[in-house]
Amino acid sequence: MNDFDYLRATALDEASTLAKTPGTMFLAGGTTLIDLAKCGVERPGTLVDITRLPDLSAVTVDEAGATIGALATMSRVAVDAAVTERYPAVSEALLLAASAQLRNMATIGGNLMQRTRCAYFRDPAGYPACNKRMPGSGCSALENVTRDHAILGTSDQCIALYPGDLSVALTALGATVRTTSREIPIARFFVEPGDRPDRETVLERGEIVTAVHVPASAAAANSTYLKVRDRQSYEFAAASAAVGLELEEDGRTIRDIRVALGGVATVPWRAEAVEAALRGRRLGETTIREASRAAVEGARSWYANGYKIELACRVVARAIMEVGGIK
Amino acid sequence: MASLRSMELEINGAQYALTIEPRVTLLDALRENLGLTGTKKGCDQGQCGACTVHVDGERVLACLTLAVQAEGRSIRTIEGLASKDDTLDAVQQAFIEEDAFQCGYCTPGQIMSAVACIREGHAGSDAEIREFMAGNLCRCGAYNGIVAAVRKAAQRIQGAAA
Amino acid sequence: MSLTDSPAKYGSVAGSETASGPLGRAALRGDGSLKVRGAATYALEQPVEGVLHCVLVQSTIGAGRVAAIDRSAAEAAPGVRLVLDAGNSLTLAPMPDFFGNTPPGDSYVPFAREISFNGELIAAVVADTLEQARAAAALLEVTYEEARSVPTFSDPRAGEGRAVDAMTKEWGEPDAAFAEAPVRIEATYETPREYNLPIEPHGLIVHFEADDRLTIYEPTQWVDGTARNYAGWFGLSFDAVRIVSPFIGGGFGSKAQGLPHSAAAAIAAKMLGRPVKLAVTRPQTFTAYGGRPATRQTLRLGAAADGRLLALDHDAASETSVTGTFTETLGIVTKMMYAVPNLSSRQNVVPVNTVLPGPFRAPGKNPSAFAFECAVDELAVELGMDPVDLRRVNEPDHDFETGKPWSSRRLLKCYDVAGEAFGWAGRNPAPRSMREGRQLIGWGMAVGTHPVYAAPGEATVRLLANGSVEVSSSAIDMGTGTYTILAQTAADVLGVPVEKVTVRLGDSRLGRAPVAGGSQLANLMTAAVHKTALAARDELVTLGLTDPNSPLRDQANTLTVADGRIGASRGGAISVGELLAATGRDHLEVTRDTLPEADRTPEERQRMFSTLAGRGALPDLPVSRHSFCAHFIEVRVDEDFGTIRVSRVVTAFDAGRLYNPKLAESQFKGGIVMGIGMALLEEGVTDPRNGRILSSNLADYRIATNADVPEITTISVGEPDYDATPLGGKAVGELSIVGVAPAIANAVYHATGRRVRSLPIKLDDLL
């Protein structure tokens, strides 16, 4: 790691002010930042440790929704009784991520900011060209070994995958990200790479995520997160899906459905086409499987990641079947 | 250059004073500065679990924690697990009995993880133990023994508490 | 069920002269207490005062040359003591590796100017602190003249490579027999680069106590070979180099050779006159040593309608580096496993821009069995035969490769016992015939084998006045259980409880020992300790009978040593301590080796233990010596996702006598776990443009986690084989990984009807 200064913030506005200096970064759980600093990807001048800011780690669940403080750890939120009962997809996404140790360290706010696992991005010594590290420098991933790269939301500048799990569940459930200055619907929080792959979220310098709000809904209460990977545990998703489902009183007709995909796109990927295709339809395996094809509309594959197209459809279908009670 | 920083760390109930750069990880501080080499470095990038220690009672990875972040916290390492009279912790004893290791290099991390796993209530079944111990890689492949040891230690701890 | 609670008729040591003694018992690991406390001191944890920290810099091109390295920014960085590269490095004398590869020229510098692979060592930075050295290493400005590299043997420009003469073998008339065979199959099987990846990364502390005397704390599988290597590099005598390696955090074949990073640290220490510590980072380990090379094997099998093999043709290739030859011996299992009357086997090595590959658990045996045991399964399908029945039909009464009889081969017993425990008889042979919900269930089996190797060993046994015993040798314990079984061996001979025996290992100042590799060390060192302990007992008896001051003098013709006491069978006994005291001693020490001839010069002796020459010094035996095992494995494959989970493993082993069934069981299970990773997860991914390893970390190079491994059942059917080794054991450590990957591949076929011939079998193969 390069040499850096370390400051411990005691108040939000203090932290915001400190971070307005270029080269200053916020340090929370450190599981992404310290890792990337060791890789030479991040070279902070100053780290502002925000983990001791007061009042940012509460988890409050009421009629309107769940408000999760940005400094709550993943493990703590994952086992919160109200979250587990009313937002099972959130709890499951957290428990299927990383390892118990990392979940004890990583915070909810930091988890949103988790960065790609693209092997080229993580190796600046070996691959100086990376549009995500340095816009305009080129992309080493295009047309090469790309089993783990994105098929959705890509650009001709970057195909790096968003690796997270929690944000996929939050995207499905229509969460809002609260910051020191505003509320941002999660669908607008993450930014596709386009011609600026270095910009991954809409956060401005000095802006701090303070909480995530997940609105209550029947679909949220009947939700799941399904994650598929080669290794049974401690691995990023080859493909994943978060699904919330609400049925009509007949117990068969879909009133409301929320679908988002992980492990396949440059950002957490809402599959509105699947939702539209199923709203008002009767539950059934064939219907679900057909509708799930829409999850990969516009997908494009490179080299060895074409399997994700088929896999994504099947993961979506199985997740819907699971919340729909189809064995 | 950032200035050196003086800090005190509370480790296994004792206070350690040291003056290091902020970029020094807790793992390197333990191993290189404090001579507490029981905590192991297997990858130094959060992928193996060999450096697992407890901070304020929770299992974390020392390789992705800056030492300075642990100021004012209570740190526990493998050296602090046995009791003052050197009686082994139930998990340590079970690891020996079940031969839950070979080379021993991942073992301190496994044991620190297992102690936390039991305390968290995640040792209820073999499947649960496997999942909640998955963050500790063992290249010798002692996983069967590890599961057996965690199961046995959990039963003993629960038996003692009942 | 496990070895330790399996029926006594399996895994018993009946017939052994020492069956009633400590050897053969399931004693707890002797070094366990240290390891669970974090008190076992691994190399980089040795308290050496005033160490400087050394960090490596590796090349980022796959071929070409280093045009220039600008050291100035790094040299000016805080705390930096030295920046080393090919331009300012001390030169060493070149030393050959195991395989006879010697660096070209009269001198050796571990820092490359001419680049032959991506990740090659080019420079090192030494600073006061680890953080300073790491940061300064990032400041080196390296200018390359990049040439086009050929990163893998899949690159068409790699060509066919060159034949390895020693791997060419033919008997009978294979072409004609194949042409006439009524049932034939042909298929090509591939395995990727695989890496040993012990959880303790490579590294060392080097301390020159004087210009011509140094101590090295380094994890090594071969203390004596390592000492010889440093002595050669620096032109010193063997005795001037002390290697200290009491604990090794795993090696699996990767920690036995003198590697460039070790030379770099030693050069830094020498040039600076200060102790230097070097830790290879996890990503750097992927090119600091070679793992298993990628392999490709095409097999043609011809069989009679009743399953008898008539012809076998085996055409193999493995990668090597452009600078040296490492042969992953792919025909090794193919040639000896079954009764094959007509056989042709040959192998090429294909030079590519990679680090020189090296030994990794069961080198040769493991990929050899993958291809052959999959092919046999394909033949069984073609024949409509049960795969176990097909193997029974082809059980050989002798080794067809050497023509020798087996020292022992209880593979049929393995089929019986493991098959029954698994429930194999209930298998529906049709693919996709077993399922549970959306999970397809498959049952597969395959066999494994490992040769019994031999080399000389040496041990010292000291009997102390307090009745305790010390055993010492430079042999090592990397989790294999050497500490424990050597204590058991000495206790067995000397009639003392195991707790009374202290074992010291891993120090070149102790007696000589061969490499802990080839699954040989347990057999060789128990034999050496056994011989030495017997000699010590004899000396003690002689002392008792003949020393003028012995209270036991003239009491009997012989004396018995047991429970720390010595005496006549009828009459009084005194403690060993009393005898030693009465005869004016505080201990009795004996050193013996197992070299066939005693009269050798010190130089010859040293060469016997510190090179592979010792192996050749032993007489050729009239029997073929191998361990065997049969794996029966169940997998569950999600029919939508293609995810594969191993849900059951039952393996029966014929590894001869087990010196400690509990520790042997751990090794057996460990090999199976590694085999699960090999079958389903492990893959070195290389950038086809420049040869850079893209999976150079433990997240992208996936090894099995706890959650990937079911409860494994191991059953020993071995019996003491005194034709194989002096104390009746056969090969244990590497045996169990052999055959796991094909058993899983065969189970995946049974589950899905998909035959995947390239490892690892990933979910995308089954979508």
Side-chain angles (χ1 to χ4, degrees):
Chain A
M1 285 187 279
N2 67 299
D3 209 357
F4 49 72
D5 282 313
Y6 171 90
L7 300 170
R8 196 174 288 147
T10 53
L12 258 182
D13 53 349
E14 177 203 7
S16 277
T17 307
L18 286 169
K20 295 218 164 92
T21 313
T24 300
M25 301 181 75
F26 296 122
L27 175 66
T31 56
T32 291
L33 180 50
I34 302 298
D35 176 37
L36 288 177
K38 287 183 178 183
C39 294
V41 172
E42 301 284 13
R43 302 181 56 79
T46 301
L47 290 185
V48 176
D49 183 346
I50 57 171
T51 52
R52 302 196 195 194
L53 293 179
D55 309 325
L56 288 179
S57 53
V59 179
T60 318
V61 179
D62 59 23
E63 295 302 304
T67 305
I68 303 168
L71 290 179
T73 60
M74 291 172 73
S75 55
R76 161 126 189 272
V77 178
V79 299
D80 183 279
V83 170
T84 308
E85 185 192 336
R86 299 193 208 174
Y87 306 90
V90 170
S91 170
E92 290 166 19
L94 288 165
L95 284 174
L96 288 168
S99 69
Q101 291 94 314
L102 289 162
R103 295 193 294 266
N104 278 340
M105 302 168 71
T107 63
I108 296 301
N111 185 267
L112 299 184
M113 312 291 291
Q114 160 172 214
R115 305 197 70 189
T116 185
R117 298 284 313 172
C118 172
Y120 310 99
F121 167 76
R122 290 174 56 83
D123 183 8
Y127 297 95
C130 173
N131 290 325
K132 188 178 273 300
R133 273 188 263 114
M134 198 195 310
S137 62
C139 174
S140 298
L142 285 159
E143 308 302 335
N144 276 290
V145 178
T146 55
R147 182 176 187 253
D148 298 322
H149 285 76
I151 55 169
L152 289 163
T154 58
S155 75
D156 61 1
Q157 302 285 301
C158 184
I159 59 171
L161 187 78
Y162 178 81
D165 297 298
L166 170 66
S167 297
V168 178
L170 296 177
T171 297
L173 303 183
T176 302
V177 180
R178 289 183 183 158
T179 76
T180 36
S181 56
R182 54 185 166 155
E183 300 213 348
I184 309 165
I186 195 150
R188 292 214 302 275
F189 181 79
F190 294 100
V191 184
E192 289 178 33
D195 59 4
R196 284 296 302 276
D198 57 319
R199 271 189 64 90
E200 294 169 359
T201 70
V202 297
L203 287 182
E204 302 289 342
R205 183 172 291 285
E207 189 174 7
I208 303 174
V209 175
T210 55
V212 171
H213 179 76
V214 196
S217 68
N222 181 36
S223 65
T224 193
Y225 185 75
L226 179 58
K227 182 174 181 179
V228 171
R229 44 191 165 170
D230 286 294
R231 195 156 81 171
Q232 173 72 27
S233 185
Y234 202 6
E235 188 180 12
F236 295 94
S240 67
V243 171
L245 178 71
E246 183 191 0
L247 297 177
E248 301 287 359
E249 279 72 17
D250 64 4
R252 295 191 304 186
T253 310
I254 297 170
R255 178 185 292 166
D256 185 18
I257 183 164
R258 323 282 184 80
V259 181
L261 283 80
V264 292
T266 55
V267 294
W269 196 260
R270 179 85 177 258
E272 282 168 331
V274 178
E275 300 171 2
L278 284 172
R279 213 170 283 124
R281 302 280 301 275
R282 283 195 173 180
L283 271 181
E285 179 164 351
T286 309
T287 308
I288 291 168
R289 285 192 185 270
E290 277 169 15
S292 297
R293 310 300 309 175
V296 291
E297 266 175 17
R300 180 179 168 191
S301 69
W302 281 264
Y303 191 66
N305 68 349
Y307 76 97
K308 282 182 187 275
I309 295 177
E310 180 61 34
L311 184 63
C313 298
R314 297 185 187 185
V315 174
V316 167
R318 282 276 291 275
I320 297 170
M321 284 153 66
E322 191 174 319
V323 287
I326 300 172
K327 296 282 181 218
Chain B
M1 178 193 168
S3 54
L4 293 169
R5 191 179 167 110
S6 294
M7 64 187 81
E8 278 210 351
L9 296 181
E10 188 211 313
I11 306 167
N12 302 325
Q15 295 292 324
Y16 290 81
L18 70 170
T19 302
I20 50 176
E21 293 173 334
R23 63 178 162 176
V24 177
T25 61
L26 178 57
L27 177 58
D28 287 330
L30 290 170
R31 287 174 63 83
E32 304 296 338
N33 298 84
L34 299 172
L36 292 167
T37 57
T39 307
K40 305 304 182 196
K41 182 185 281 191
C43 72
D44 209 24
Q45 50 189 164
Q47 299 168 348
C48 78
C51 67
T52 302
V53 299
H54 296 178
V55 173
D56 285 349
E58 298 200 67
R59 47 175 161 166
V60 301
L61 299 179
C63 75
L64 294 183
T65 304
L66 298 178
V68 65
Q69 283 177 285
E71 260 186 311
R73 311 286 194 206
S74 173
I75 301 160
R76 200 171 189 209
T77 70
I78 189 73
E79 289 93 342
L81 205 55
S83 64
K84 287 258 176 354
D85 67 359
D86 210 30
T87 304
L88 293 180
D89 178 272
V91 174
Q92 290 173 308
Q93 184 60 38
F95 264 63
I96 294 176
E97 292 169 10
E98 298 297 330
D99 204 39
F101 51 89
Q102 293 182 42
C103 81
Y105 196 78
C106 74
T107 309
Q110 299 278 2
I111 289 173
M112 296 308 287
S113 200
V115 169
C117 179
I118 294 169
R119 195 160 53 209
E120 291 159 8
H122 288 139
S125 68
D126 285 2
E128 191 180 25
I129 293 169
R130 287 189 189 111
E131 171 57 30
F132 280 87
M133 290 297 292
N136 291 82
L137 301 182
C138 170
R139 190 56 161 162
C140 298
Y143 295 131
N144 276 191
I146 291 165
V147 172
V150 175
R151 184 201 308 132
K152 183 187 247 185
Q155 285 164 355
R156 283 182 182 161
I157 290 164
Q158 280 148 15
Chain C
M1 185 157 63
S2 67
L3 286 181
T4 39
D5 59 19
S6 64
K9 60 180 173 172
Y10 311 127
S12 78
V13 291
S16 161
E17 58 177 341
T18 53
S20 57
L23 194 59
R25 288 194 192 149
L28 294 179
R29 198 174 286 276
D31 47 345
S33 171
L34 285 175
K35 285 177 173 174
V36 300
R37 290 167 201 264
T41 308
Y42 296 81
L44 294 187
E45 300 160 0
Q46 297 282 351
V48 178
E49 282 297 309
V51 290
L52 300 172
H53 295 265
C54 183
V55 168
L56 303 175
V57 179
Q58 297 177 331
S59 74
T60 58
I61 63 167
R65 61 187 301 274
V66 176
I69 297 182
D70 184 348
R71 299 195 293 254
S72 55
E75 283 170 345
V80 170
R81 300 297 182 108
L82 180 65
V83 179
L84 267 171
D85 61 25
N88 63 348
S89 171
L90 191 72
T91 60
L92 306 178
M95 287 295 289
D97 66 15
F98 278 13
F99 312 104
N101 299 294
T102 308
D106 301 332
S107 63
Y108 169 64
V109 172
F111 308 104
R113 257 194 240 272
E114 304 298 324
I115 301 298
S116 67
F117 61 94
N118 207 316
E120 189 166 11
L121 179 60
I122 56 170
V125 175
V126 186
D128 291 341
T129 71
L130 178 58
E131 291 76 22
Q132 289 169 334
R134 275 195 296 229
L139 298 177
L140 280 189
E141 287 188 29
V142 184
T143 315
Y144 296 102
E145 288 167 14
E146 187 168 4
R148 196 157 173 209
S149 59
V150 181
T152 72
F153 74 168
S154 304
D155 189 321
R157 289 171 299 137
E160 296 298 309
R162 58 177 180 269
V164 182
D165 291 342
M167 297 304 295
T168 303
K169 188 87 179 178
E170 186 163 324
W171 64 75
E173 295 185 16
D175 287 342
F178 184 76
E180 290 163 15
V183 182
R184 289 176 288 194
I185 62 129
E186 174 173 353
T188 298
Y189 305 88
E190 296 174 315
T191 64
R193 287 186 195 169
E194 294 155 356
Y195 296 90
N196 312 56
L197 299 178
I199 297 295
E200 178 201 32
H202 290 52
L204 66 163
I205 300 172
V206 187
H207 184 197
F208 276 86
E209 287 98 353
D211 244 11
D212 57 357
R213 197 156 50 78
L214 71 160
T215 299
I216 293 152
Y217 306 90
E218 183 169 21
T220 174
Q221 295 175 231
W222 194 5
V223 164
D224 292 345
T226 301
R228 174 178 168 277
N229 200 72
Y230 283 97
W233 274 342
F234 285 94
L236 299 172
S237 72
F238 182 85
D239 298 332
V241 180
R242 182 181 180 198
I243 305 292
V244 180
S245 189
F247 296 99
I248 297 104
F252 314 109
S254 70
K255 287 177 177 167
Q257 302 244 42
L259 295 166
H261 69 263
S262 301
I267 287 170
K270 176 88 172 170
M271 288 173 69
L272 287 163
R274 288 273 300 271
V276 166
K277 179 188 289 197
L278 183 150
V280 182
T281 69
R282 179 55 67 186
Q284 288 171 345
T285 64
F286 284 77
T287 54
Y289 64 83
R292 198 189 311 282
T295 73
R296 184 170 55 224
Q297 301 175 73
T298 300
L299 276 158
R300 294 193 298 159
L301 302 185
D306 65 0
R308 275 179 303 112
L309 283 164
L310 300 175
L312 188 162
D313 184 87
H314 176 245
D315 193 29
S318 60
E319 292 179 341
T320 188
S321 74
V322 296
T323 56
T325 299
F326 175 84
T327 306
E328 182 81 18
T329 51
L330 295 169
I332 191 164
V333 171
T334 325
K335 287 179 284 193
M336 52 63 65
M337 184 52 84
Y338 301 114
V340 185
N342 302 285
L343 178 143
S344 174
S345 180
R346 65 213 153 269
Q347 180 174 349
N348 279 15
V349 288
V350 184
V352 296
N353 293 109
T354 173
V355 62
L356 180 67
F360 176 21
R361 204 169 194 160
K365 283 74 76 175
N366 188 2
S368 181
F370 168 65
F372 192 29
E373 287 294 296
C374 285
V376 170
D377 198 69
E378 297 204 45
L379 181 63
V381 171
E382 192 70 24
L383 286 159
M385 269 181 92
D386 179 89
V388 178
D389 292 341
L390 176 59
R391 287 172 172 85
R392 286 182 191 278
V393 164
N394 288 291
E395 176 70 8
D397 60 355
H398 68 282
D399 180 347
F400 274 55
E401 183 185 10
T402 61
K404 294 176 181 178
W406 306 108
S407 66
S408 63
R409 175 167 164 137
R410 299 171 57 77
L411 189 53
L412 294 177
K413 190 80 184 169
C414 290
Y415 298 146
D416 291 341
V417 171
E420 188 187 338
F422 185 84
W424 184 259
R427 178 178 185 259
N428 180 338
R432 301 182 73 90
S433 61
M434 296 159 62
R435 68 159 61 224
E436 198 175 293
R438 296 181 190 274
Q439 305 286 310
L440 300 167
I441 297 172
W443 289 3
M445 61 83 53
V447 306
T449 184
H450 198 282
V452 176
Y453 295 120
E458 182 181 63
T460 300
V461 171
R462 281 162 66 100
L463 309 182
L464 302 181
N466 63 9
S468 66
V469 177
E470 284 179 9
V471 174
S472 66
S473 162
S474 66
I476 63 94
D477 187 338
M478 53 181 166
T480 39
T482 317
Y483 281 112
T484 315
I485 60 171
L486 295 191
Q488 289 177 267
T489 306
D492 205 279
V493 174
L494 296 167
V496 297
V498 173
E499 299 73 42
K500 287 274 191 186
V501 183
T502 306
V503 180
R504 291 178 62 209
L505 299 174
D507 188 329
S508 61
R509 288 193 175 165
L510 306 173
R512 306 274 67 82
V515 63
S519 300
Q520 65 176 7
L521 195 75
N523 290 317
L524 308 182
M525 292 312 300
T526 52
V529 170
H530 185 84
K531 179 177 179 178
T532 310
L534 282 176
R537 193 178 70 184
D538 288 349
E539 283 202 17
L540 193 68
V541 168
T542 304
L543 193 69
L545 291 174
T546 60
D547 192 280
N549 298 318
S550 167
L552 303 172
R553 193 173 179 215
D554 301 328
Q555 280 197 8
N557 292 329
T558 187
L559 299 169
T560 305
V561 181
D563 299 328
R565 297 177 73 78
I566 179 166
S569 51
R570 278 176 298 175
I574 59 172
S575 74
V576 170
E578 284 174 288
L579 175 59
L580 291 173
T583 56
R585 299 156 188 264
D586 58 7
H587 72 274
L588 186 154
E589 178 177 310
V590 173
T591 297
R592 291 286 185 279
D593 65 48
T594 52
L595 276 166
E597 307 103 33
D599 52 336
R600 290 180 186 271
T601 65
E603 290 73 24
E604 271 179 347
R605 268 181 50 76
Q606 188 213 100
R607 201 167 64 85
M608 291 294 134
F609 293 106
S610 62
T611 73
L612 294 183
R615 217 171 251 188
L618 299 178
D620 192 25
L621 294 178
V623 289
S624 179
R625 300 172 295 165
H626 293 261
S627 283
F628 298 93
C629 63
H631 303 282
F632 290 77
I633 294 182
E634 177 184 275
V635 300
R636 288 169 180 251
V637 182
D638 187 290
E639 64 176 337
D640 273 320
F641 308 142
T643 43
I644 306 161
R645 304 290 179 245
V646 174
S647 46
R648 284 201 298 141
V649 180
V650 177
T651 304
F653 295 92
D654 166 20
R657 176 190 188 195
L658 304 179
Y659 304 124
N660 182 323
K662 191 178 183 79
L663 304 195
E665 178 180 347
S666 289
Q667 292 231 78
F668 287 151
K669 288 185 173 180
I672 291 167
V673 170
M674 205 178 255
I676 291 172
M678 174 192 177
L680 302 177
L681 299 168
E682 299 189 26
E683 182 177 24
V685 180
T686 309
D687 189 328
R689 293 167 295 184
N690 60 12
R692 199 155 177 84
I693 309 299
L694 294 169
S695 54
S696 61
N697 59 73
L698 290 172
D700 294 310
Y701 186 94
R702 299 159 303 173
I703 66 175
T705 70
N706 204 322
D708 293 286
V709 177
E711 182 68 29
I712 295 166
T713 300
T714 56
I715 307 166
S716 171
V717 305
E719 294 197 346
D721 181 346
Y722 298 107
D723 293 327
T725 61
L727 296 189
K730 297 201 287 184
V732 168
E734 294 164 276
L735 170 65
S736 66
I737 193 174
V738 184
V740 175
I744 290 173
N746 297 340
V748 168
Y749 170 78
H750 184 235
T752 66
R754 299 280 281 273
R755 182 65 70 177
V756 182
R757 301 186 181 90
S758 181
L759 295 183
I761 306 174
K762 301 189 294 251
L763 60 89
D764 23 333
D765 293 314
L766 300 179
L767 280 181

